[in-house]
Amino acid sequence: MAVGPAFDEIMGTAGSGQPRPALGALGEWLDTTDDAELRRRQQSAEATFRQLGITFAVYGDEDASERIIPFDIVPRVFLKDEWERLSEGLVQRVEAINLFLDDIYGERRILKEGILPDDLIFGNPQFRPEIAGMRPPHGIWAHICGIDLVRTGPDDFFVLEDNARTPSGVSYMLENREAMLRLCPELFRQFRVAAVDSYPDRLLQTMKSVAPPGTGSNPVCVVLTPGHFNSAYYEHSFLADSMGVELVEAADLVVDDDIVWMRTIAGRVKVDVIYRRIDDDFLDPLVFRPDSAIGVSGLIAAYAAGNVAIINAPGNGIADDKAIYSYMPEIVRYYTGAEAKLPNVQTFRCREPDALKYTLDHLDELVVKLVDGSGGYGMLVGPTASKDEIANFRAALVAEPQRYIAQPTLALSTVPTLVEAGLAPRHVDFRPFVLTGSKGIQVVPGGLTRVALREGSLVVNSSQGGGTKDSFVLMDNGPGQSQSQVSA
């Protein structure tokens, strides 16, 4: 999986002047719509995002603490058969993640049978011993997963990482689609595109389906936010508003006799399901960090008593730790009895001597990541790193090898993107969203495409200068006739 010419998802092989056969209409649209018009539409979308307050915070950046994520007007497209294969792999992976979490905090069969080394769990800061022995309502741990994927060829998709804690970005998926419908309606006449606007309804149904037994037919659901200083606060408020549920902070909730209550002007209301956007560390100061000012005292006791469902469940961080990720092929095989339909990127565990030696010998060729890192921080992209950056990473690896994994630098696929000089290929990744409730697993027909706007860059994170695109999932493998939005 070494770096080579990148596969372009619209144009196909590198240097091809013709779009892929099923995407001829999109190629024609790009050819016949001049750059100035594309730029006008793109600027209109970004102006709307700014008016709506769709921003994220860049911590430590005093010059631009609040900014929008740049939006690109050229959509990324998945053909019907491509999406069906991806969906099968995503369902299998999320099923395995839930079974893994249930086992690790329960019987720990996977450790007893030697599939995983014990210290990978018990020495991992993402493992929460405080949760051991607890079981969420209906046995579901990862209700909302964002599985990051990369593509290297027409049929080659790989999982880059699993996000089973509090995956973000769904508001951009929804707002990007809203912008495209308004600014590029002709594309929805050319292609039958699966709708994504049902996501809030799907999420609410998922939340209600995992309410504790005996709750009744209309459980009370809330979104718990750390507050408006959080980088994803817009998304928290957007989702609460879209679902028609209350957006609450810690001060709005109180636990009495192991029951969670919401303070309202009409008095207390019992809360059955909490979609929390607060990390485990800060969730309950009586159990985790005692200095947390954004957590709810007694929440874990109410959860342990079976009186409230928490989405996603506490302790999920162990499932998206990058050291655990490296064992996901074994985890999928162990819990599902089948080989993983979506493979991992080849991964070297630097905690292992041979892998560490290989990594140190090939730092200028590899991508090296902190096992608990996120947002593009704590990462080395060897081929684009300076000698000083490589030297610093070498020292960090030697000092604490167990904190790192390394992967080959892949030739990530590209999609035409509107940059200053006009349309040019830029590398992309993809985060689809998978919902798991008591009635099963569903993959939302779309997702968040992130694009590296800098030429040659493989880093798509918004905090590192990346942007976003709308993601079309086609209902057939070619242009449609008339229907603009079709529910999947």
Side-chain angles (χ1 to χ4, degrees), residues 220 222 224 248-264 267-272 274 283-286 294-303 307-308:
V220 174
V222 300
L224 174 62
V248 299
E249 297 183 30
D252 300 312
L253 301 179
V254 62
V255 178
D256 189 0
D257 197 21
D258 291 343
I259 293 175
V260 181
W261 300 89
M262 174 172 53
R263 296 183 174 101
T264 75
R268 288 182 173 186
V269 175
K270 183 176 177 289
V271 174
D272 303 303
I274 297 174
L283 197 54
D284 182 343
L286 299 183
I294 57 174
V296 181
S297 296
L299 179 58
I300 297 302
Y303 173 71
N307 293 328
V308 68

Side-chain angles (χ1 to χ4, degrees), residues 157-289:
F157 293 89
F158 299 90
V159 177
L160 190 62
E161 62 183 55
D162 302 292
N163 295 282
R165 279 177 274 187
T166 54
S168 63
V170 74
S171 59
Y172 276 93
M173 174 186 78
L174 297 170
E175 295 289 8
N176 286 352
R177 175 58 53 83
E178 200 59 37
M180 290 296 289
L181 283 166
R182 178 169 57 86
L183 296 169
C184 304
E186 66 273 23
L187 288 179
F188 296 90
R189 291 190 289 270
Q190 291 283 349
F191 294 98
R192 296 179 65 231
V193 181
V196 295
D197 58 3
S198 63
Y199 179 84
D201 289 337
R202 294 174 185 241
L203 176 57
L204 184 58
Q205 291 166 7
T206 298
M207 292 175 68
K208 289 183 175 182
S209 79
V210 297
T215 298
S217 59
N218 193 27
V220 174
C221 304
V222 300
V223 176
L224 174 62
T225 177
H228 67 276
F229 291 112
N230 184 266
S231 63
Y233 180 75
Y234 171 81
E235 180 159 295
H236 308 167
S237 58
F238 174 89
L239 287 173
D241 184 59
S242 299
M243 290 189 289
V245 305
E246 294 294 331
L247 179 69
V248 299
E249 297 183 30
D252 300 312
L253 301 179
V254 62
V255 178
D256 189 0
D257 197 21
D258 291 343
I259 293 175
V260 181
W261 300 89
M262 174 172 53
R263 296 183 174 101
T264 75
I265 56 173
R268 288 182 173 186
V269 175
K270 183 176 177 289
V271 174
D272 303 303
V273 184
I274 297 174
Y275 175 18
R276 54 81 174 239
R277 296 297 295 260
I278 295 175
D279 291 342
D280 284 354
D281 275 343
F282 303 97
L283 197 54
D284 182 343
L286 299 183
V287 175
F288 302 118
R289 281 185 54 160

